[in-house]
Amino acid sequence: MDILRFITAGSVDDGKSTLIGRLLYDSKSIMIDQLEAIEKQSKNREDGEIDLALLTDGLRAEREQGITIDVAYKYFSTPTRKFIIADAPGHTQYTRNMVTGASNSDLIIILVDARNGVSEQTRRHSIIASLLNIPHVVVAINKMDLVNNSQDVYNNIVIDYSAVAASLGLKDITYIPISAINGDNIVEKSASFPWYEGESLLHILENVAVANDINYTDARFPVQYVIRPQTDDLHDYRGYAGKVISGIYKKGDTICVQPSGLQSVISAIEIGGQQVEEAFAPQSVVIHLQDDIDISRGDVIVKTDNLPTIENELDVLLCWMGNKPLKAGNKYLLQINSRVVKAVVKEIEYKLDVNSLLQEPSPDQAQLNDIVKVKIKTASPIPYDSYKKLRVNGGAILIDETSNVTVGACMIQ
Amino acid sequence: MSENINLVDSSRASSELGDNNYRRLDYLDQLESESIHIFREVAGQFERPALLFSGGKDSIVLVHLALKAFRPGKFPFPLVHIDTGHNFQEALDFRDQFAQAIGEKLIVRNVADTIREKNLTEQKGKFASRNALQTFTLLDTIEEFKFDACIGGARRDEEKARAKERIFSVRDEFGQWDPKLQRPELWNTYNGKIDKGENVRVFPISNWTELDIWNYIRRNKIELPSIYFSHDREVLEYQGQLVATSEFIQLEEGDKVAIKKVRYRTVGDMTCTAAVESNASTIDDIIKEIIATKTSERGETRIDDRVSEAAMEDRKKGGYF
């Protein structure tokens, strides 16, 4: 049993909350008391049906306004997998929440209303999926019951979407016709679409090969904390605590510390106090080295034969999340894994129109939810990999030093 | 059963993964690694963290995760318990013995002292609870020790306001949570920057469910207070819930009191935690019951959540965990 993290993109109108409610309900993850609570609220509805969408709205303002404000996380599991759903709102003004939810996702479900086909919103969500490099995409064509379960409607949407996906370089796309409200093709394969040869949505989610997404080649170990008990019996103990974010480390490996470049050899690896021969992503471990060299939080231990890029001038695709606009020349803190450095945004090269993909060159500033290409200079060189190649070591955040708020998501090119 | 499933999984994946086939973490290992990573971020980013420890199962799992994150070193934080004075003695005894066994510092602050010193008014009524007053003592304790981060065992599957809270959740001077002003939390990068006076609530087991906790307890043979297992107890039957009789609950004429075989699914105050009827005396039995249950953890056992649809949201906004 492993974990699949996925995000659902779409608006309330696309039936997103209904879909999540359906997955939770049909996989028996909803308890009686939770159901009673939403039954109480559903009583006002004319058709008397339980409104599964109410299950996902957590805050009072959301229930009152019938909207989703923030990312909510939902959990369910089947005998083969544990699922973590990032439920992100679909409205334009909440791009930052979708980017947040997408950053950790293995898979995205893009909901398309069968009556409307590929919309601006579909395009926008697909662009974000591409920017955040989500490895797997499921295009769920919903409300098929409202188009008489028509294969032609379905096929046309598949053709339209394929063009969008090709222009964005999205890979591993699965298409599925569904009716979330009726539960068609959600947990069980439905008889409503005899022409559909694929499996149910849940079956797809249970079988996506996420283990293949782990990078076992490029070893990266950002040091989070140095364990030094300094007691009589552990006087010389010095362990570097952190998570292997990619690759494999073995006892005896020659390593190199970035950005200092100092070298040593791994003398021991511990997991939860037990000695092991090797550690691999995504294990949290303690690494010991043969030599007493200067290493502190924010340094990255790598292998001498596989180095990250070490630079202080970065090309970055940036999703701006601050309420105050971004202007060239603004200074921030840049945090990549455990490393924090001062940084300045030197230049805004262009702004990306998330509906048309057109680039507006040299805008004066970037507003909340804008996606811009920028040049960032850091106060000292940072070890990183391109986000496209290694997601776990190519994503960074910008922090406003005066408000401490996270204002930007950087995908380093 | 789960072992069979694992076998099927790995045989299917072996051709795709080649040599890396055995390098796959199961879900509990993945959750454990994520939580350890969060613990170490706290250690790396804050000067004066604390771990809120009640002797309940979630905070016990938290401490076990901290042991994995920091041993053979000492914890870079004390354990802190805000004692309402309405706790189960079994949980308090366990708390003290456990802290001593692992050799870590335990700080206890009492709600009763806050009530006396600050002239607070206690709730009245049958199940008069100190749940709301607890927040005063917590905030005073944060101020007393200048804690800048408080690690807690809240899980997102517990309650729908919790489902929206970040892993690093910034609170203002009054401990208040503003759901509309949450920092975006991307990848596994946690921004713990705060101003003086503010603090961060950190939830390392955000992504665990109740069942994950129990499966982890089983796999790691973690000891729990005895009240989690079936035992005889005098209980009051009240609106479909079973509440232990104690000095904190006022019995009235006509109250139905009986001795029943019960266990606790959560451990909070005696005044607001209900027991469930059960014969489950081992972890395996408990897990079977949880898989079969049709009521959520908080719905079945927490009287305090029933007040309104937004009870938890309101308490969080007021500085509660």
Side-chain angles (χ1 to χ4, degrees), chain A residues 11-25 30-31 33-58 62-68 74 87 143 180-182, chain B residues 160 309:
Chain A
S11 68
V12 177
D13 307 329
D14 299 325
K16 178 176 63 89
S17 299
T18 311
L19 172 69
I20 294 173
R22 180 58 73 182
L23 277 171
L24 298 173
Y25 184 75
I30 297 176
M31 301 298 179
D33 53 309
Q34 296 166 321
L35 211 54
E36 278 171 358
I38 63 164
E39 268 172 0
K40 243 189 267 170
Q41 297 172 64
S42 305
K43 283 224 169 92
N44 309 334
R45 285 169 53 113
E46 284 171 17
D47 52 16
E49 288 260 331
I50 292 173
D51 187 354
L52 290 172
L54 289 171
L55 275 170
T56 58
D57 298 327
E62 296 176 311
R63 287 190 294 276
E64 283 167 3
Q65 297 167 39
I67 54 158
T68 314
K74 297 279 164 193
D87 178 15
K143 307 199 181 179
I181 200 136
N182 297 330
Chain B
K160 55 193 168 200
E309 184 67 19

Short mmCIF file of all heavy atoms in Angstrom, two decimals, chain A residues 11-25 30-31 33-58 62-68 74 87 143 180-182, chain B residues 160 309:
data_model
loop_
_atom_site.label_atom_id
_atom_site.label_comp_id
_atom_site.label_asym_id
_atom_site.label_seq_id
_atom_site.Cartn_x
_atom_site.Cartn_y
_atom_site.Cartn_z
N SER A 11 -14.40 24.11 -11.17
CA SER A 11 -15.18 24.95 -10.28
C SER A 11 -16.35 24.14 -9.74
O SER A 11 -16.57 23.00 -10.15
CB SER A 11 -15.70 26.17 -11.02
OG SER A 11 -16.65 25.76 -11.96
N VAL A 12 -17.07 24.75 -8.82
CA VAL A 12 -18.26 24.09 -8.28
C VAL A 12 -19.19 23.72 -9.43
O VAL A 12 -19.80 22.66 -9.46
CB VAL A 12 -18.99 25.04 -7.29
CG1 VAL A 12 -20.26 24.40 -6.77
CG2 VAL A 12 -18.08 25.41 -6.15
N ASP A 13 -19.24 24.60 -10.42
CA ASP A 13 -20.14 24.36 -11.55
C ASP A 13 -19.74 23.13 -12.37
O ASP A 13 -20.55 22.52 -13.03
CB ASP A 13 -20.16 25.59 -12.47
CG ASP A 13 -20.47 26.85 -11.70
OD1 ASP A 13 -21.21 26.75 -10.70
OD2 ASP A 13 -19.98 27.93 -12.07
N ASP A 14 -18.46 22.80 -12.33
CA ASP A 14 -18.02 21.62 -13.07
C ASP A 14 -18.34 20.33 -12.31
O ASP A 14 -18.11 19.24 -12.81
CB ASP A 14 -16.51 21.65 -13.30
CG ASP A 14 -16.08 22.84 -14.12
OD1 ASP A 14 -16.85 23.24 -15.02
OD2 ASP A 14 -15.00 23.38 -13.86
N GLY A 15 -18.79 20.48 -11.08
CA GLY A 15 -19.11 19.29 -10.29
C GLY A 15 -17.92 18.76 -9.52
O GLY A 15 -17.87 17.59 -9.17
N LYS A 16 -16.95 19.64 -9.25
CA LYS A 16 -15.74 19.17 -8.57
C LYS A 16 -16.03 18.67 -7.15
O LYS A 16 -15.60 17.57 -6.79
CB LYS A 16 -14.72 20.31 -8.49
CG LYS A 16 -13.46 19.92 -7.74
CD LYS A 16 -12.45 21.03 -7.78
CE LYS A 16 -12.97 22.27 -7.09
NZ LYS A 16 -12.67 22.30 -5.66
N SER A 17 -16.75 19.47 -6.38
CA SER A 17 -17.04 19.04 -5.01
C SER A 17 -17.91 17.79 -5.00
O SER A 17 -17.75 16.92 -4.16
CB SER A 17 -17.73 20.16 -4.24
OG SER A 17 -16.89 21.29 -4.19
N THR A 18 -18.83 17.71 -5.97
CA THR A 18 -19.66 16.52 -6.07
C THR A 18 -18.80 15.29 -6.35
O THR A 18 -19.01 14.22 -5.78
CB THR A 18 -20.70 16.68 -7.20
OG1 THR A 18 -21.35 17.94 -7.02
CG2 THR A 18 -21.73 15.57 -7.16
N LEU A 19 -17.81 15.46 -7.22
CA LEU A 19 -16.91 14.34 -7.54
C LEU A 19 -16.16 13.87 -6.30
O LEU A 19 -16.09 12.67 -6.02
CB LEU A 19 -15.92 14.76 -8.63
CG LEU A 19 -14.82 13.73 -8.91
CD1 LEU A 19 -15.39 12.49 -9.58
CD2 LEU A 19 -13.71 14.32 -9.76
N ILE A 20 -15.61 14.83 -5.55
CA ILE A 20 -14.86 14.45 -4.35
C ILE A 20 -15.81 13.80 -3.34
O ILE A 20 -15.50 12.76 -2.76
CB ILE A 20 -14.17 15.68 -3.72
CG1 ILE A 20 -13.10 16.19 -4.68
CG2 ILE A 20 -13.56 15.34 -2.37
CD1 ILE A 20 -12.47 17.49 -4.26
N GLY A 21 -16.98 14.42 -3.16
CA GLY A 21 -17.97 13.85 -2.26
C GLY A 21 -18.30 12.42 -2.66
O GLY A 21 -18.41 11.52 -1.84
N ARG A 22 -18.43 12.20 -3.95
CA ARG A 22 -18.76 10.88 -4.48
C ARG A 22 -17.66 9.86 -4.19
O ARG A 22 -17.92 8.74 -3.77
CB ARG A 22 -19.02 11.02 -5.99
CG ARG A 22 -19.37 9.77 -6.72
CD ARG A 22 -20.59 9.09 -6.18
NE ARG A 22 -21.83 9.78 -6.49
CZ ARG A 22 -23.04 9.34 -6.06
NH1 ARG A 22 -23.13 8.25 -5.34
NH2 ARG A 22 -24.12 10.01 -6.37
N LEU A 23 -16.41 10.28 -4.41
CA LEU A 23 -15.28 9.38 -4.14
C LEU A 23 -15.25 8.99 -2.65
O LEU A 23 -15.05 7.83 -2.30
CB LEU A 23 -13.95 10.04 -4.51
CG LEU A 23 -13.53 9.97 -5.98
CD1 LEU A 23 -12.31 10.86 -6.21
CD2 LEU A 23 -13.21 8.54 -6.42
N LEU A 24 -15.47 9.98 -1.80
CA LEU A 24 -15.45 9.72 -0.36
C LEU A 24 -16.64 8.85 0.05
O LEU A 24 -16.52 7.91 0.82
CB LEU A 24 -15.48 11.03 0.44
CG LEU A 24 -14.31 11.99 0.23
CD1 LEU A 24 -14.57 13.31 0.93
CD2 LEU A 24 -13.02 11.38 0.74
N TYR A 25 -17.79 9.18 -0.52
CA TYR A 25 -19.03 8.49 -0.16
C TYR A 25 -19.00 7.04 -0.63
O TYR A 25 -19.26 6.11 0.13
CB TYR A 25 -20.19 9.25 -0.80
CG TYR A 25 -21.56 8.73 -0.46
CD1 TYR A 25 -22.12 8.99 0.79
CD2 TYR A 25 -22.31 8.02 -1.39
CE1 TYR A 25 -23.39 8.53 1.10
CE2 TYR A 25 -23.58 7.56 -1.08
CZ TYR A 25 -24.12 7.81 0.16
OH TYR A 25 -25.37 7.36 0.47
N ILE A 30 -17.07 8.34 4.41
CA ILE A 30 -17.88 9.34 5.09
C ILE A 30 -18.67 8.65 6.20
O ILE A 30 -19.26 7.61 5.99
CB ILE A 30 -18.85 10.03 4.12
CG1 ILE A 30 -18.03 10.77 3.08
CG2 ILE A 30 -19.76 10.99 4.86
CD1 ILE A 30 -18.83 11.40 2.02
N MET A 31 -18.63 9.25 7.36
CA MET A 31 -19.27 8.64 8.50
C MET A 31 -20.69 9.18 8.68
O MET A 31 -21.02 10.26 8.20
CB MET A 31 -18.44 8.90 9.75
CG MET A 31 -17.03 8.36 9.63
SD MET A 31 -17.05 6.56 9.43
CE MET A 31 -15.31 6.23 9.29
N ASP A 33 -22.30 10.57 11.14
CA ASP A 33 -22.52 11.90 11.72
C ASP A 33 -22.19 13.01 10.73
O ASP A 33 -22.83 14.05 10.70
CB ASP A 33 -21.71 12.08 13.01
CG ASP A 33 -20.23 11.77 12.82
OD1 ASP A 33 -19.93 10.70 12.27
OD2 ASP A 33 -19.39 12.61 13.19
N GLN A 34 -21.18 12.76 9.87
CA GLN A 34 -20.84 13.76 8.85
C GLN A 34 -21.96 13.85 7.81
O GLN A 34 -22.30 14.92 7.31
CB GLN A 34 -19.51 13.39 8.18
CG GLN A 34 -18.35 13.43 9.16
CD GLN A 34 -17.11 12.75 8.61
OE1 GLN A 34 -17.19 11.71 7.95
NE2 GLN A 34 -15.95 13.31 8.90
N LEU A 35 -22.51 12.68 7.51
CA LEU A 35 -23.60 12.62 6.54
C LEU A 35 -24.85 13.32 7.08
O LEU A 35 -25.52 14.06 6.38
CB LEU A 35 -23.90 11.15 6.23
CG LEU A 35 -24.40 10.82 4.84
CD1 LEU A 35 -23.47 11.37 3.77
CD2 LEU A 35 -24.53 9.31 4.67
N GLU A 36 -25.11 13.07 8.38
CA GLU A 36 -26.28 13.73 8.99
C GLU A 36 -26.14 15.23 8.93
O GLU A 36 -27.11 15.94 8.65
CB GLU A 36 -26.40 13.29 10.47
CG GLU A 36 -27.09 11.94 10.62
CD GLU A 36 -27.02 11.42 12.05
OE1 GLU A 36 -26.41 12.10 12.91
OE2 GLU A 36 -27.58 10.34 12.30
N ALA A 37 -24.92 15.72 9.15
CA ALA A 37 -24.70 17.16 9.14
C ALA A 37 -25.00 17.74 7.76
O ALA A 37 -25.62 18.79 7.64
CB ALA A 37 -23.26 17.49 9.55
N ILE A 38 -24.58 17.04 6.72
CA ILE A 38 -24.86 17.62 5.39
C ILE A 38 -26.30 17.36 4.96
O ILE A 38 -26.87 18.13 4.21
CB ILE A 38 -23.88 17.15 4.29
CG1 ILE A 38 -23.94 15.66 4.05
CG2 ILE A 38 -22.47 17.61 4.59
CD1 ILE A 38 -23.29 15.27 2.74
N GLU A 39 -26.89 16.30 5.49
CA GLU A 39 -28.31 16.07 5.19
C GLU A 39 -29.15 17.23 5.71
O GLU A 39 -30.06 17.71 5.06
CB GLU A 39 -28.80 14.76 5.83
CG GLU A 39 -28.69 13.57 4.90
CD GLU A 39 -28.98 12.26 5.61
OE1 GLU A 39 -29.27 12.28 6.82
OE2 GLU A 39 -28.90 11.22 4.94
N LYS A 40 -28.78 17.68 6.92
CA LYS A 40 -29.49 18.80 7.54
C LYS A 40 -29.44 20.01 6.61
O LYS A 40 -30.42 20.69 6.41
CB LYS A 40 -28.81 19.16 8.87
CG LYS A 40 -29.71 18.96 10.08
CD LYS A 40 -29.06 19.55 11.34
CE LYS A 40 -28.27 18.49 12.08
NZ LYS A 40 -27.43 19.07 13.15
N GLN A 41 -28.23 20.26 6.05
CA GLN A 41 -28.08 21.43 5.20
C GLN A 41 -28.68 21.24 3.82
O GLN A 41 -28.98 22.20 3.13
CB GLN A 41 -26.59 21.77 5.02
CG GLN A 41 -25.92 22.14 6.31
CD GLN A 41 -24.42 22.26 6.10
OE1 GLN A 41 -23.96 23.10 5.36
NE2 GLN A 41 -23.67 21.38 6.73
N SER A 42 -28.83 19.97 3.40
CA SER A 42 -29.35 19.71 2.06
C SER A 42 -30.86 19.80 2.01
O SER A 42 -31.45 19.79 0.95
CB SER A 42 -28.93 18.31 1.58
OG SER A 42 -27.55 18.14 1.66
N LYS A 43 -31.50 19.90 3.17
CA LYS A 43 -32.97 19.85 3.23
C LYS A 43 -33.63 20.95 2.41
O LYS A 43 -34.75 20.79 1.93
CB LYS A 43 -33.44 19.93 4.69
CG LYS A 43 -33.27 18.60 5.42
CD LYS A 43 -34.48 18.24 6.26
CE LYS A 43 -34.41 16.81 6.76
NZ LYS A 43 -33.78 16.72 8.09
N ASN A 44 -32.93 22.08 2.26
CA ASN A 44 -33.53 23.19 1.52
C ASN A 44 -33.64 22.91 0.01
O ASN A 44 -34.35 23.56 -0.70
CB ASN A 44 -32.69 24.46 1.72
CG ASN A 44 -32.43 24.71 3.19
OD1 ASN A 44 -33.22 24.28 4.02
ND2 ASN A 44 -31.33 25.38 3.49
N ARG A 45 -32.87 21.91 -0.42
CA ARG A 45 -32.88 21.64 -1.87
C ARG A 45 -34.20 21.04 -2.32
O ARG A 45 -34.80 20.24 -1.63
CB ARG A 45 -31.74 20.69 -2.22
CG ARG A 45 -30.39 21.35 -2.20
CD ARG A 45 -29.32 20.28 -2.29
NE ARG A 45 -29.57 19.42 -3.44
CZ ARG A 45 -28.77 19.37 -4.50
NH1 ARG A 45 -27.70 20.12 -4.55
NH2 ARG A 45 -29.04 18.55 -5.49
N GLU A 46 -34.62 21.44 -3.51
CA GLU A 46 -35.92 21.00 -4.00
C GLU A 46 -35.98 19.50 -4.25
O GLU A 46 -36.96 18.83 -3.94
CB GLU A 46 -36.26 21.75 -5.30
CG GLU A 46 -36.69 23.18 -5.02
CD GLU A 46 -36.82 23.97 -6.31
OE1 GLU A 46 -36.88 23.34 -7.38
OE2 GLU A 46 -36.85 25.21 -6.22
N ASP A 47 -34.90 18.96 -4.84
CA ASP A 47 -34.95 17.53 -5.19
C ASP A 47 -34.74 16.60 -3.99
O ASP A 47 -34.90 15.41 -4.09
CB ASP A 47 -33.92 17.21 -6.29
CG ASP A 47 -32.53 17.70 -5.93
OD1 ASP A 47 -32.31 18.00 -4.75
OD2 ASP A 47 -31.68 17.76 -6.83
N GLY A 48 -34.34 17.20 -2.83
CA GLY A 48 -34.18 16.40 -1.63
C GLY A 48 -32.96 15.49 -1.63
O GLY A 48 -32.73 14.75 -0.70
N GLU A 49 -32.17 15.55 -2.71
CA GLU A 49 -30.95 14.73 -2.78
C GLU A 49 -29.90 15.28 -1.82
O GLU A 49 -29.84 16.47 -1.56
CB GLU A 49 -30.37 14.79 -4.20
CG GLU A 49 -31.16 14.03 -5.23
CD GLU A 49 -30.55 12.68 -5.52
OE1 GLU A 49 -29.33 12.54 -5.39
OE2 GLU A 49 -31.31 11.77 -5.87
N ILE A 50 -29.06 14.38 -1.32
CA ILE A 50 -27.96 14.85 -0.47
C ILE A 50 -26.97 15.60 -1.34
O ILE A 50 -26.57 15.13 -2.40
CB ILE A 50 -27.26 13.66 0.20
CG1 ILE A 50 -28.19 13.01 1.21
CG2 ILE A 50 -25.98 14.11 0.88
CD1 ILE A 50 -27.65 11.76 1.80
N ASP A 51 -26.59 16.79 -0.90
CA ASP A 51 -25.64 17.59 -1.66
C ASP A 51 -24.22 17.22 -1.22
O ASP A 51 -23.71 17.72 -0.23
CB ASP A 51 -25.92 19.07 -1.41
CG ASP A 51 -25.07 19.96 -2.30
OD1 ASP A 51 -24.20 19.41 -3.01
OD2 ASP A 51 -25.27 21.18 -2.28
N LEU A 52 -23.58 16.34 -1.99
CA LEU A 52 -22.26 15.84 -1.60
C LEU A 52 -21.22 16.96 -1.60
O LEU A 52 -20.19 16.86 -0.95
CB LEU A 52 -21.82 14.73 -2.56
CG LEU A 52 -22.61 13.42 -2.43
CD1 LEU A 52 -22.21 12.46 -3.54
CD2 LEU A 52 -22.37 12.78 -1.08
N ALA A 53 -21.52 18.02 -2.34
CA ALA A 53 -20.57 19.14 -2.40
C ALA A 53 -20.35 19.75 -1.03
O ALA A 53 -19.28 20.28 -0.74
CB ALA A 53 -21.07 20.20 -3.38
N LEU A 54 -21.35 19.66 -0.16
CA LEU A 54 -21.24 20.28 1.16
C LEU A 54 -20.16 19.64 2.01
O LEU A 54 -19.68 20.21 2.98
CB LEU A 54 -22.57 20.19 1.91
CG LEU A 54 -23.69 21.09 1.36
CD1 LEU A 54 -25.00 20.74 2.02
CD2 LEU A 54 -23.35 22.55 1.60
N LEU A 55 -19.74 18.42 1.65
CA LEU A 55 -18.73 17.72 2.41
C LEU A 55 -17.37 18.40 2.38
O LEU A 55 -16.57 18.24 3.28
CB LEU A 55 -18.54 16.31 1.85
CG LEU A 55 -19.51 15.27 2.36
CD1 LEU A 55 -19.36 14.02 1.53
CD2 LEU A 55 -19.24 14.98 3.82
N THR A 56 -17.09 19.13 1.33
CA THR A 56 -15.74 19.65 1.16
C THR A 56 -15.57 21.08 1.63
O THR A 56 -14.48 21.59 1.66
CB THR A 56 -15.30 19.56 -0.32
OG1 THR A 56 -16.24 20.30 -1.09
CG2 THR A 56 -15.27 18.13 -0.78
N ASP A 57 -16.67 21.75 1.96
CA ASP A 57 -16.54 23.15 2.35
C ASP A 57 -16.36 23.27 3.85
O ASP A 57 -17.26 22.98 4.62
CB ASP A 57 -17.76 23.94 1.88
CG ASP A 57 -17.85 23.92 0.37
OD1 ASP A 57 -16.78 23.89 -0.27
OD2 ASP A 57 -18.96 23.91 -0.16
N GLY A 58 -15.18 23.69 4.27
CA GLY A 58 -14.82 23.63 5.68
C GLY A 58 -15.12 24.88 6.49
O GLY A 58 -15.35 24.81 7.67
N GLU A 62 -17.41 29.78 3.39
CA GLU A 62 -17.57 28.94 2.22
C GLU A 62 -18.97 28.35 2.16
O GLU A 62 -19.61 28.29 1.10
CB GLU A 62 -16.54 27.81 2.24
CG GLU A 62 -15.13 28.31 2.15
CD GLU A 62 -14.13 27.18 2.26
OE1 GLU A 62 -14.25 26.36 3.19
OE2 GLU A 62 -13.25 27.11 1.42
N ARG A 63 -19.44 27.91 3.32
CA ARG A 63 -20.79 27.34 3.34
C ARG A 63 -21.83 28.41 3.04
O ARG A 63 -22.79 28.17 2.33
CB ARG A 63 -21.06 26.68 4.70
CG ARG A 63 -20.32 25.39 4.88
CD ARG A 63 -20.78 24.65 6.12
NE ARG A 63 -20.48 25.35 7.35
CZ ARG A 63 -19.30 25.28 7.99
NH1 ARG A 63 -18.35 24.54 7.48
NH2 ARG A 63 -19.11 25.95 9.10
N GLU A 64 -21.58 29.60 3.59
CA GLU A 64 -22.54 30.68 3.38
C GLU A 64 -22.58 31.12 1.92
O GLU A 64 -23.63 31.36 1.36
CB GLU A 64 -22.21 31.86 4.29
CG GLU A 64 -22.63 31.60 5.73
CD GLU A 64 -22.03 32.61 6.72
OE1 GLU A 64 -21.34 33.55 6.28
OE2 GLU A 64 -22.27 32.43 7.91
N GLN A 65 -21.38 31.22 1.32
CA GLN A 65 -21.33 31.75 -0.05
C GLN A 65 -21.32 30.65 -1.10
O GLN A 65 -21.36 30.93 -2.29
CB GLN A 65 -20.08 32.62 -0.22
CG GLN A 65 -20.06 33.84 0.67
CD GLN A 65 -18.69 34.48 0.70
OE1 GLN A 65 -18.02 34.56 -0.31
NE2 GLN A 65 -18.26 34.94 1.86
N GLY A 66 -21.25 29.38 -0.66
CA GLY A 66 -21.24 28.28 -1.61
C GLY A 66 -19.99 28.27 -2.48
O GLY A 66 -20.02 27.87 -3.63
N ILE A 67 -18.87 28.75 -1.94
CA ILE A 67 -17.63 28.75 -2.70
C ILE A 67 -16.53 28.06 -1.90
O ILE A 67 -16.69 27.81 -0.71
CB ILE A 67 -17.16 30.18 -3.03
CG1 ILE A 67 -17.06 30.99 -1.72
CG2 ILE A 67 -18.10 30.85 -4.01
CD1 ILE A 67 -16.15 32.19 -1.82
N THR A 68 -15.42 27.77 -2.54
CA THR A 68 -14.28 27.21 -1.84
C THR A 68 -13.21 28.28 -1.79
O THR A 68 -12.80 28.79 -2.83
CB THR A 68 -13.74 25.97 -2.57
OG1 THR A 68 -14.85 25.15 -2.92
CG2 THR A 68 -12.81 25.18 -1.70
N LYS A 74 -8.33 16.21 1.87
CA LYS A 74 -9.27 15.13 2.20
C LYS A 74 -8.55 13.80 2.05
O LYS A 74 -7.64 13.67 1.22
CB LYS A 74 -10.46 15.16 1.24
CG LYS A 74 -11.27 16.43 1.34
CD LYS A 74 -12.23 16.35 2.50
CE LYS A 74 -12.75 17.74 2.84
NZ LYS A 74 -13.43 17.80 4.10
N ASP A 87 -8.01 19.74 -2.44
CA ASP A 87 -9.21 20.28 -3.07
C ASP A 87 -9.02 21.78 -3.22
O ASP A 87 -9.10 22.52 -2.25
CB ASP A 87 -10.42 19.95 -2.17
CG ASP A 87 -11.72 20.51 -2.73
OD1 ASP A 87 -11.74 20.89 -3.92
OD2 ASP A 87 -12.70 20.57 -1.97
N LYS A 143 -20.66 15.33 -16.31
CA LYS A 143 -22.04 15.68 -16.70
C LYS A 143 -22.39 15.04 -18.04
O LYS A 143 -23.14 15.63 -18.84
CB LYS A 143 -22.24 17.20 -16.75
CG LYS A 143 -21.82 17.87 -15.44
CD LYS A 143 -22.39 19.24 -15.28
CE LYS A 143 -21.90 19.85 -13.97
NZ LYS A 143 -22.37 21.18 -13.71
N ALA A 180 -20.55 12.59 -12.16
CA ALA A 180 -20.24 12.57 -10.72
C ALA A 180 -21.53 12.48 -9.90
O ALA A 180 -21.60 11.75 -8.92
CB ALA A 180 -19.45 13.82 -10.33
N ILE A 181 -22.55 13.19 -10.34
CA ILE A 181 -23.78 13.23 -9.56
C ILE A 181 -24.46 11.86 -9.49
O ILE A 181 -25.03 11.49 -8.48
CB ILE A 181 -24.72 14.34 -10.09
CG1 ILE A 181 -25.74 14.71 -9.01
CG2 ILE A 181 -25.41 13.96 -11.38
CD1 ILE A 181 -25.93 16.20 -8.89
N ASN A 182 -24.35 11.10 -10.59
CA ASN A 182 -24.96 9.76 -10.59
C ASN A 182 -23.97 8.66 -10.19
O ASN A 182 -24.35 7.50 -10.09
CB ASN A 182 -25.49 9.43 -11.99
CG ASN A 182 -26.59 10.38 -12.41
OD1 ASN A 182 -27.33 10.88 -11.56
ND2 ASN A 182 -26.70 10.64 -13.71
N LYS B 160 -13.47 19.53 9.69
CA LYS B 160 -13.32 20.22 8.42
C LYS B 160 -12.59 21.56 8.49
O LYS B 160 -12.05 22.00 7.47
CB LYS B 160 -14.66 20.36 7.70
CG LYS B 160 -15.71 21.01 8.50
CD LYS B 160 -17.05 20.78 7.79
CE LYS B 160 -18.13 21.21 8.76
NZ LYS B 160 -19.41 20.67 8.49
N GLU B 309 -22.06 24.01 13.73
CA GLU B 309 -21.38 23.60 12.52
C GLU B 309 -19.94 24.14 12.46
O GLU B 309 -19.06 23.55 11.89
CB GLU B 309 -22.21 24.12 11.33
CG GLU B 309 -21.75 23.74 9.97
CD GLU B 309 -21.90 22.26 9.72
OE1 GLU B 309 -22.67 21.59 10.43
OE2 GLU B 309 -21.23 21.78 8.81
#
